[in-house]
Structures are given as C-alpha cells and as structure tokens.
Amino acid sequence: MTRPLTAAQRRIVDAADPGTGRLTGTPAQLAALVKRGLAFRHPRPPHDHFLTPAGHRTREAEPEPGPVERPAAAGGFAARAGGEESPPGDGAARLREVRSAWQGMLELRRMTNPDGATDRPCGWERSHLVRAAALALEAAGHRPAGADPEEGGYRVRETPQPEAVAVYEPDGEALRACAVTLERAGWQAGEYTEPRTRARYLLASPRRV
C-alpha cells in the first residue's frame, strides 16, 4: 500500500497532454510519479516524461480519499487471462478500465518503440507476454474463461518457448477469432493441436517487424 497522490501530483497527472500523455512538472515531482509507476522517462532526448497505462487510468479515475494500491511498473491493471478463481466484475466500469488500459498500451508502444509504431508490441509486452496477450483479447471483447473450464472462454498461458504464449478456447470459431484479434494487435498466431489431449490452441508471439 502507498499514500494517495498529493494535490500537486494530482494536478500534474490531470494536466497531462490528452493526446500524448506528456507531463510537465519539476524533476522531483516527475521522479515521484515514475517511482509510483504512473509515468516513465522517455529514453531519447529531450527525455520528456509521459503517463504509463496506470497513469492514464489514474487521470480518468476519481481521486481516492484513502490509501491506494501501488501499481506495478507498467500498470497495476491486469487483464483477464482466463480461469481466475475471483475474477473482477464485467460491468461498465470494467469495460472502461479495459479500454483505458488498451489505449494506454498503444501510447506506450508509440513512445517506446524505436520508430514510434503502434501496430506491434513494445518491450513491456515482450516481458509480460500473458498479460499483454490477455489485454489485447479482453479489449477486443473476447470472453475470458471462468473458474469452470467447461463453460468456455479463452485462457492465455505461458509456454516453454521463448516469447510465446498459448491461447486455449474450446470453441473453434472463437479460437480463430482470437487469432484474428492477436494478429491485428501485432502478434503472430498459429493454430495447433496438442498430441495428448487433441485440444486445439493458438501459439502466439509478438511480431518484431
């Protein structure tokens, strides 16, 4: 747990450029937002600071009167990978949160990919493969699996292969739709069959070019 934003920090976050998320503040204030995971310092000159996906969500959310959970370096939000025992709600608030997270991810791609491309995954996504693929699927409206595997829905899981995740979905048409979504989000996805269970699944990896 950590303290809520100070009034000055809240003003900096609220005043961020609505298009780019660029921040203006003193070096100490910006460093404090980076430490909280709400901002990042661009690696190229002039080394401006920009909101992370968590920072974008903080700007859109109402100020918290009490303590808030400290976000991870690339955002405290976690997309549903499927099969969670206690999944978050699926109402309008969740939809807004997912859409905001996806827009924040596109902005992170633009700011951190060397050529500013938003059509392929960035470094954060390559180091958080399951979360990144799950966000692309949930943001596109695919239904994640619940605790009961018999109810259907997608499940994103780690694999022994480097830079690859497996996506399971018992419905063949829905599985192919997941492949289309991932490819549009900058991933390469191929459909395979597990030798032992004969279950169909996608092997997806982030595209580099």
Side-chain angles (χ1 to χ4, degrees), residues 1-122:
M1 306 295 286
T2 187
R3 296 188 304 275
L5 292 178
T6 65
Q9 290 171 337
R10 168 60 67 175
R11 285 194 296 270
I12 292 173
V13 169
D14 289 344
D17 185 281
T20 66
R22 182 176 179 272
L23 297 165
T24 302
T26 68
Q29 290 170 331
L30 296 173
L33 291 174
V34 171
K35 187 176 181 180
R36 285 173 173 264
L38 301 178
F40 70 94
R41 183 174 182 267
H42 198 280
R44 298 197 300 270
H47 301 298
D48 288 333
H49 287 72
F50 298 85
L51 291 175
T52 63
H56 281 281
R57 293 191 298 276
T58 298
R59 183 177 59 177
E60 295 177 2
E62 292 295 327
E64 293 288 342
V68 295
E69 182 178 354
R70 177 173 180 168
F77 170 86
R80 290 193 58 187
E84 294 87 354
E85 291 294 334
S86 301
D90 56 0
R94 176 66 181 182
L95 290 176
R96 288 194 299 270
E97 189 177 31
V98 172
R99 288 169 183 164
S100 176
W102 179 245
Q103 290 303 313
M105 184 58 65
L106 292 179
E107 181 63 16
L108 194 61
R109 288 181 176 186
R110 191 181 76 81
M111 297 309 305
T112 59
N113 278 334
D115 57 356
T118 61
D119 62 349
R120 68 176 184 273
C122 62

Side-chain angles (χ1 to χ4, degrees), residues 132-134 136-137 165 167 177-189 202 204:
L137 292 173
V165 295
V167 179
C178 287
V180 171
T181 290
L182 289 171
E183 288 167 357
R184 288 176 177 171
W187 294 65
Q188 296 173 317
L202 300 177

